[in-house]
Amino acid sequence: MPAYLIVTAVLHDREAFLAEYGAAAARLVQSLGGRYRLMRPDGQVLEGEGPERVSVVIEEWPDRQTVLNFWNSPEYAEVRKMREGLADCRVVLVESEAPI
């Protein structure tokens, strides 16, 4: 069953985030079987605690295990270090037969 990573983030330094983490993460996502379905910098929070504006990314993966393999890989552990101090992220994993 397909799985999706849904990321909301507040970027503290957008240029550095995209140049460093974004580029490396994109290469790794593609090489490990994921693909980006949405990447937008202008999400507006309508309900809940936190900032009014967030960046939103949705990645599609073949299945939950492939996502977990990516997320827990040594390669991604190294890439994830690149975003430290550049963004505050919330990441949700969800499975779905097909997006509604």
Side-chain angles (χ1 to χ4, degrees):
M1 174 180 322
Y4 299 85
L5 277 183
I6 302 167
V7 181
T8 58
V10 175
L11 305 184
H12 305 298
D13 184 339
R14 183 173 175 71
E15 290 180 19
F17 180 88
L18 293 175
E20 297 168 20
Y21 171 81
R27 285 189 298 274
L28 190 58
V29 165
Q30 184 177 14
S31 73
L32 295 179
R35 68 181 178 144
Y36 290 100
R37 302 296 288 173
L38 174 78
M39 298 174 90
R40 294 294 305 169
D42 55 357
Q44 181 180 2
V45 176
L46 299 178
E47 184 175 334
E49 298 290 323
E52 281 188 34
R53 297 283 180 194
V54 295
S55 293
V56 180
V57 174
I58 299 176
E59 299 170 11
E60 181 179 10
W61 294 81
D63 53 54
R64 176 182 293 268
Q65 191 57 55
T66 304
V67 174
L68 294 174
N69 291 346
F70 157 77
W71 189 259
N72 296 312
S73 70
E75 296 87 357
Y76 186 62
E78 288 300 311
V79 170
R80 191 178 318 143
K81 291 177 188 176
M82 295 178 182
R83 75 173 193 217
E84 289 178 7
L86 298 177
D88 296 321
C89 299
R90 181 177 186 135
V91 182
V92 176
L93 168 60
V94 63
E95 288 180 299
S96 178
E97 279 298 332
I100 297 174

